[in-house]
Amino acid sequence: MGHVEIPETDLSGPVGLTGAPRPRTATPRSHTVAPERVWRAPTTVERDRTERPRARKLPDPRVPVLVMTDLLGLGVPAWLVLRTGGQAGALASAASAALVWAGVRASRGRYARRFPGEAAGAVHGPFGDWLALVGVLAVLLAMTGGGSDPATAVAALVPGLGVAVLVAAVGRWRAATRRGHRVLVVGEAAGLDRAVSLLNSRTDHFYRAVAVVPVGPEAPNCGTPVPGRLAPERADDDVSTVLGSAFAHDADLVLVAPGPQIDDDRLRRLAWGMHDSGLALCVLSDLSGIAAARVRPASAAGLTLLHIAPPLRHGPQALLKTVVDRAGAALGLLVLAPLLFGVALAVRLSSPGPVFHRQTRHGRHNRPFTMWKFRTMVADAEGRREQLSTANESEGPMFKMRRDPRVTRIGHALRRTSVDELPQLLNVLRGDMSLVGPRPPLPEEVSRYDERELRRLAVRPGLTGLWQVSGRSDLSWQETVSLDLWYVDNWSVAGDMGLLARTVRAVTDGRGAY
């Protein structure tokens, strides 16, 4: 049994499982008949059709615009290039290529309605589509015996790729600036607390929990409104309770955290009710720490299976990452040479001691190496660390101190801007480090690692990473480990490029650097 308080109605009474008015479906449910034959959408809580249309069931108004953009964006430039190159049948060839392009894009789901945050990447999505287009057209030309010059034909298709990349970039920008989902979370108290805490503690996603509907008598402790409650066992008013709670808090997505009290049948009935009423429904997975790109759904024997791709360790992406690291480090050292020389001179003149601070760190597969930094502390900083051990502000093996007296005046500026890390480009060039990855730990830190923390050393440490763009030294030890483990299992070259771009903003901001 459940109960929901709906504003501006004649329903009143305390929230609870007993002694309160409960909305019911029009007729009692027979448990001896197949549920598919007796179930019907609840009528107690009516959706206001003027304020909340069934958006998920209406055609997406963007689709005609996207299709026309792809047709014209590829067809018109292709016709101009083919015509300039003197190719016979330029108009027919360009029109055929444009139609195939729209078909490829449709088959790969580019015109499907997406939730916020699900937009395809601005580079790899259109580029993959374009490669598929080239392959399809090559097969068609071979089958029809077309006489087009291959170089001219490929050149004619390039502008279409540029238009697709631009459209994808605009789509990502719009997704990042529009309002995300208002989420009603349904589940047992422990699952609710965890889901709400994670969703509302970060801002790098499009979901915000606005209310919860707990299952069972246990009270959640997430500090979020509780407009309704579901009984431990399935009841006739489950759907109306959830719908009323969602409408009362203007939620447009229901997130269900499965547990022992929400079995397959109960979840299926909730899904029927939400979808028939025009509300989107999402199920929380226990696959935390796994990027969505690594998960592929499949069906077998009526079961829904989730295939999880292994982390990238070898193959083309790993080779490309090595090439990008070495080339980027060499270019960085060349371009930043004047800055590096100026900083070295300033460090040398500001306090007695060497320009560089060399330190043994542990890298991939726990191999030690010598890491280079500009010196930001007094010359005898390592000897004075034991005296400051009681002032350590980190709960883990890492030593952190917001106002470390060993840091020099120029050292504060170098740390705030992360310029002291630039000599590590030499480590990247040598192959000890990567441009992006977890921070390299000290030997004494590694000696205190457990099995989970040792997994941070499965990849090369980085000059920057998720820790850099997520708060740096303001992060707790467990938050740092969680970010590093997520990167270790889910890194990609495209993701590395995004982290490098976000690092510029983090360094400019300077928060968490001390």
Side-chain angles (χ1 to χ4, degrees), residues 166-444:
L166 179 61
V167 170
V170 171
R172 286 175 63 87
W173 174 78
R174 290 186 60 195
T177 56
R178 69 173 177 248
R179 189 191 79 163
H181 281 295
R182 293 175 58 85
V183 181
L184 172 73
V185 188
V186 180
E188 298 173 32
L192 293 182
D193 291 340
R194 176 175 177 271
V196 173
S197 174
L198 291 175
L199 287 177
N200 290 354
S201 64
R202 297 176 58 175
T203 58
D204 57 347
H205 58 83
F206 298 90
Y207 301 87
R208 183 167 66 90
V210 295
V212 297
V213 174
V215 179
E218 188 175 353
N221 190 32
C222 53
T224 307
V226 184
R229 182 183 296 274
L230 299 184
E233 301 293 335
R234 178 175 63 83
D236 293 345
D237 54 5
D238 281 355
V239 171
S240 56
T241 298
V242 174
L243 283 177
S245 301
F247 298 157
H249 288 270
D250 196 29
D252 57 3
L253 175 67
V254 174
L255 174 63
V256 178
Q261 297 175 345
I262 302 183
D263 56 15
D264 291 345
D265 181 64
R266 197 174 195 183
L267 178 59
R268 185 185 305 114
R269 293 170 184 272
L270 285 174
W272 289 342
M274 299 307 104
H275 293 157
D276 286 352
S277 299
L279 263 181
L281 180 133
C282 184
V283 179
L284 181 66
S285 169
D286 289 331
L287 299 178
S288 300
I290 299 177
R294 292 177 53 207
V295 182
R296 179 174 59 85
S299 297
L303 302 174
T304 299
L305 311 179
L306 298 178
H307 290 266
I308 303 175
L312 293 171
R313 295 290 183 266
H314 308 285
Q317 286 222 50
L319 178 61
L320 180 58
K321 180 180 176 69
T322 300
V323 172
V324 171
D325 285 341
R326 302 291 178 88
L331 181 62
L333 288 170
L334 182 63
V335 172
L336 298 174
L339 173 63
L340 296 175
F341 178 78
V343 173
L345 185 62
V347 171
R348 185 68 183 87
L349 296 177
S350 63
S351 63
V355 170
F356 296 104
H357 175 63
R358 293 181 297 176
Q359 204 172 38
T360 299
R361 299 286 182 123
H362 281 234
R364 187 181 183 187
H365 304 320
N366 209 9
R367 296 193 185 102
F369 69 96
T370 300
M371 189 185 77
W372 291 69
K373 297 177 61 174
F374 282 122
R375 181 174 58 86
T376 59
M377 293 186 174
V378 295
D380 61 341
E382 290 296 328
R384 296 169 58 181
R385 176 175 171 179
E386 187 67 27
Q387 305 172 10
L388 301 172
S389 59
T390 57
N392 185 13
E393 299 176 10
S394 172
E395 79 280 11
M398 186 184 302
F399 182 87
K400 291 191 300 184
M401 189 174 176
R402 188 175 296 272
R403 292 179 176 83
D404 196 325
R406 300 172 299 168
V407 179
T408 63
R409 181 176 301 178
I410 192 173
H412 284 291
L414 295 179
R415 288 186 169 207
R416 181 172 180 81
T417 59
S418 296
V419 171
D420 62 316
E421 311 282 356
L422 291 180
Q424 291 164 35
L425 290 171
L426 291 170
N427 293 113
V428 177
L429 193 61
R430 292 182 52 186
D432 297 326
M433 294 178 61
S434 173
L435 292 177
V436 182
R439 285 301 295 148
L442 292 164
E444 56 266 31

Side-chain angles (χ1 to χ4, degrees), residues 100-113:
V100 174
W101 174 237
V104 168
R105 299 273 286 169
S107 66
R108 293 169 68 91
R110 306 308 181 196
Y111 305 138
R113 181 186 290 272

Side-chain angles (χ1 to χ4, degrees), residues 122-144:
V123 176
H124 61 277
F127 187 69
D129 298 344
W130 188 80
L131 290 179
L133 169 68
V134 172
V136 171
L137 291 180
V139 172
L140 292 177
L141 288 175
M143 294 175 60
T144 58

